[in-house]
Amino acid sequence: MKRRQILAAAGVGLAATALVGCNKEAETTAKPQEGAGGETFNWKMVTSWPKNFPGVGVGAERFAKLVEAMSNGRLKVKVYAAGELVPALEVFDAVSRGTAEMGHGAPYYWKGKVPAAQFFCALPFGPNAQEMNAWLHRGGGMQLWEEVYKPFGVLPMACGATGVQTAGWFNKEINTVDDLKGLKMRTPGLGGEVLTKMGGTVVNMPAGEIFTALQTGAIDATEWIGPYNDQALGLHKAAKYYYTPGWQEPNVLFELDINLKAWETLPADLQAIVRAAARDVNGDMLDDYNSRNMEAMEQLKGEGVDVRRLPDEVLAKLKEVAAEVVDATAAADPAASKVWAQQKAYLQRMYAYAESNEKDIYNIRG
Ligand code: CA
């Protein structure tokens, strides 16, 4: 009897728990049903890209179309090109203060405000796209990124990657480390700091000014993105040499910024759609770049562009200085320091794994 009473009591307990569970379930599913009933959200997305900009700009527009299609029009995102609502480099601020609910840009554009942002974007001699994505989505990177942006009221998501970039377009031959001294080059981020430390002069300018600056000799060299975007900008018509590899940016990761207060007003199903669309664009943009960079490089070589590899001696010195610059950048900011400590340990494991398997097959395959 006693045993049956206990079992019965336990049964009641279980039933009660199940009931509470059901109610909880009902509560969490209630929101999307309400939303599905008709509530429509019209959001703005400011971007760092000119209108119809190949690769990254088209990716941002694809995100907006995907969200609208997946939500059956319940979340409409209007995309603004750089300068339409806010300038290219003010996307993060605009989302932070709520001028726009969403933004699309490159994390290192806001390094003046958030030094740690650079570590989620690109590191010289650092991770490629698959390594950066593995760290973000499986290695604890996203949690750190959310923590870093939270004080600004911004929720970040990975939303696009360039893959390995190129070292850029030069009107001066680079044969030794000394050839970098006095070199006037457009190159942003940590790569630019490496060049400065090696005696170069770093100049920054928006996309629209690069071609003329290179053609008139205002700068000796520039890096931009990769063959696809570089060809679209016409850089092969303004420089003698195209150098590889893209030591300064083995990948640039782009971000979707979401105003946290606006995010909290979205029903759970629309939040899931935004996350899924960002993940889709994140992978799709890399496919786009990989395929189109290959085609553009074939065309450039076909047109007789002088494609060269930076000498080993130069790459070795750049790598040495890059390690110092990255460590010093992290050490100068508490948040960056925390991110880099965790990221560096993870990446070292990834690089060791790549060394033991993946790199080998690339080298053998040729
Ligand atoms: Ca670049």
Side-chain angles (χ1 to χ4, degrees), residues 108 162 165-166 186-188 223-226 230 248-249 252:
Y108 63 12
T162 63
Q165 300 204 358
T166 50
R186 180 267 169 204
T187 180
E223 67 82 52
W224 177 226
I225 295 179
D230 295 4
Q248 79 290 356
E249 289 158 341
V252 163

Side-chain angles (χ1 to χ4, degrees), residues 111 115-116 118-119 123 190 193 322-334 336-337 340:
K111 68 173 185 178
Q118 297 174 96
F119 294 81
L123 296 173
L190 292 162
E193 284 172 42
E324 292 165 13
V325 165
V326 173
D327 281 339
T329 303
D333 177 73
S337 186
W340 182 227

Side-chain angles (χ1 to χ4, degrees), residues 9-82:
V12 169
L14 281 175
T17 310
L19 212 71
V20 170
C22 273
N23 285 342
K24 266 191 182 162
E25 190 75 10
E27 274 168 26
T28 51
T29 53
K31 267 178 142 185
Q33 280 161 2
E34 275 166 28
E39 195 179 359
T40 298
F41 296 82
N42 289 292
W43 278 17
K44 298 184 205 64
M45 180 161 85
V46 289
T47 74
S48 301
W49 326 116
K51 199 103 200 142
N52 301 319
F53 191 71
V56 58
V58 169
E61 282 156 28
R62 197 176 155 269
F63 167 82
K65 285 184 194 134
L66 205 51
V67 163
E68 186 168 340
M70 288 165 87
S71 69
N72 196 23
R74 287 168 49 225
L75 176 54
K76 292 193 174 81
V77 180
K78 185 168 165 47
V79 181
Y80 291 87

Side-chain angles (χ1 to χ4, degrees), residues 75-312:
L75 176 54
K76 292 193 174 81
V77 180
K78 185 168 165 47
V79 181
Y80 291 87
E84 280 188 333
L85 265 190
V86 296
L89 305 184
E90 285 176 27
V91 165
F92 183 84
D93 283 341
V95 175
S96 176
R97 64 173 181 255
T99 303
E101 292 85 357
M102 282 180 164
H104 193 263
Y108 63 12
Y109 290 161
W110 357 113
K111 68 173 185 178
K113 177 166 252 179
V114 195
Q118 297 174 96
F119 294 81
F120 304 100
C121 187
L123 296 173
F125 295 96
N128 65 14
Q130 76 181 34
E131 290 162 341
M132 181 62 109
N133 276 307
W135 173 63
L136 286 173
H137 298 110
R138 295 288 186 275
M142 279 314 308
Q143 288 87 332
L144 286 167
W145 201 0
E146 286 177 16
E147 191 182 305
V148 167
Y149 278 17
K150 203 172 181 185
F152 301 93
V154 175
L155 178 71
M157 289 180 199
C159 195
T162 63
V164 185
Q165 300 204 358
T166 50
W169 300 87
F170 291 69
N171 277 320
K172 271 177 71 183
E173 275 186 75
I174 305 298
N175 296 314
T176 68
V177 171
D178 284 344
D179 292 329
L180 296 175
K181 290 195 181 117
L183 187 81
K184 222 173 163 192
M185 181 167 182
R186 180 267 169 204
T187 180
L190 292 162
E193 284 172 42
V194 172
L195 190 68
T196 304
K197 243 189 144 185
M198 289 179 71
T201 305
V202 170
V203 188
N204 272 317
M205 60 186 70
E209 292 173 23
I210 298 176
F211 178 86
T212 307
L214 194 58
Q215 199 181 38
T216 58
I219 53 174
D220 304 312
T222 184
E223 67 82 52
W224 177 226
I225 295 179
Y228 178 45
N229 283 117
D230 295 4
Q231 187 189 38
L233 219 54
L235 298 177
H236 53 298
K237 292 172 187 153
K240 289 183 192 152
Y241 314 109
Y242 195 20
Y243 276 97
T244 64
W247 62 273
Q248 79 290 356
E249 289 158 341
N251 178 56
V252 163
L253 189 102
F254 298 113
E255 70 180 17
L256 173 70
D257 295 310
I258 305 169
N259 179 281
L260 260 175
K261 277 188 190 145
W263 175 251
E264 282 156 13
T265 67
L266 281 189
D269 66 330
L270 291 184
Q271 288 185 345
I273 284 171
V274 168
R275 286 193 185 279
R279 279 291 254 163
D280 186 278
V281 170
N282 194 41
D284 184 73
M285 195 190 291
L286 184 63
D287 299 345
D288 191 33
Y289 270 116
N290 279 332
S291 175
R292 292 181 189 266
N293 277 334
M294 170 190 71
E295 290 165 6
M297 188 61 116
E298 286 170 356
Q299 285 165 13
L300 291 169
K301 283 182 174 174
E303 289 167 22
V305 167
D306 192 347
V307 182
R308 298 183 175 201
R309 184 179 179 274
L310 287 170
D312 285 335

